[in-house]
Amino acid sequence: MKIIVKKLSLQLLYVVIYLFVAYVFWQIEKLINGEMATLSYIFTAFGALVGFAVVRAISKTKVEISVKDITIINCLIALLTGVFLNCFIGTLFEVVVFHKDIESNEKAIPTITSMAYTIVIAPFAEEYIFRKCAIDSSKDLARGKILMILFSSVLFCFAHSFSDLSILSIVFLSAIIYSILYIINNKFYQIVLIHSGFNIMSAIDSFLHYKSIYLTSNIYIMSICAVLFFISIAYLINNKSKRSDS
């Protein structure tokens, strides 16, 4: 039990350090720029990268990616998995569970800097902090791994600091799914790409929403995306099994 508590405490420390560094850069940006604008995403990106570097140095959790395991088709499937996941659970919680009026929600138009941060930097840094550090440190603990996944997923919700219960539900469930997939596949790059695909769909949804097109609120599209999500997951898992056998 002491080992589990220690690992949970370390995970909390890593998250606090990461968020603190990001917050410092955000405050610097506010002093320089005054208001949230294009420059804010640049500072946020630097904050995320510096936070990642600090946690990487403290935790000593290595990011080892084998080039042999990376294929174009696997990368595309991973990205599409994130897109399907977004359409599936996004519509599930916002429309089916919480019955939100999608048309009344205001969404910002994605910019180049915001997309660079949310699609490239944020998925990498966040998956390292909230998934790799948490799961890799608890590989030898059966019960500890479950606690670490739940604890890290709660911290993931806190890091996104949304007050909307439907959004919190989406963030929490996506965090759980990322964790499970990482445990099954043990492919860090795939989880990063799935997270990127999820954020890509969010950016597309924001743009379409601005154009008064509510694609992801369609129940039929949600059902199709649910099926495609599970098919793409099955492919990634099956592909991993074939590579392991060979």
Side-chain angles (χ1 to χ4, degrees), residues 38-90:
T38 301
L39 189 62
S40 67
Y41 286 102
I42 297 176
F43 272 84
T44 304
F46 273 113
L49 290 175
V50 173
F52 158 76
V54 173
V55 174
R56 165 70 178 79
I58 296 174
S59 69
K60 297 180 180 179
T61 303
K62 297 180 180 180
V63 179
E64 297 177 346
I65 300 176
S66 176
V67 180
K68 295 180 180 179
D69 292 336
I70 301 176
T71 63
I72 295 177
I73 185 64
N74 280 355
C75 290
L76 289 174
I77 293 296
L79 281 171
L80 288 173
T81 300
V83 171
F84 299 146
L85 176 63
N86 186 308
C87 294
F88 170 38
I89 65 174

Side-chain angles (χ1 to χ4, degrees), residues 90-109:
T91 306
L92 177 65
F93 281 102
E94 291 193 336
V95 179
V96 179
V97 178
F98 292 96
H99 306 289
K100 287 181 63 178
D101 184 5
I102 301 298
E103 296 186 15
S104 64
N105 293 343
E106 293 185 3
K107 293 192 177 183
I109 305 174

Side-chain angles (χ1 to χ4, degrees), residues 121-142:
I121 297 174
F124 176 80
E126 290 176 358
E127 289 310 307
Y128 178 84
I129 303 295
F130 294 98
R131 243 69 62 191
K132 189 167 181 60
C133 285
I135 295 173
D136 284 8
S137 66
S138 58
K139 281 184 175 179
D140 300 329
L141 304 173

Side-chain angles (χ1 to χ4, degrees), residues 104-122:
S104 64
N105 293 343
E106 293 185 3
K107 293 192 177 183
I109 305 174
T111 62
I112 294 177
T113 52
S114 68
M115 290 183 68
Y117 169 70
T118 57
I119 294 174
V120 180
I121 297 174

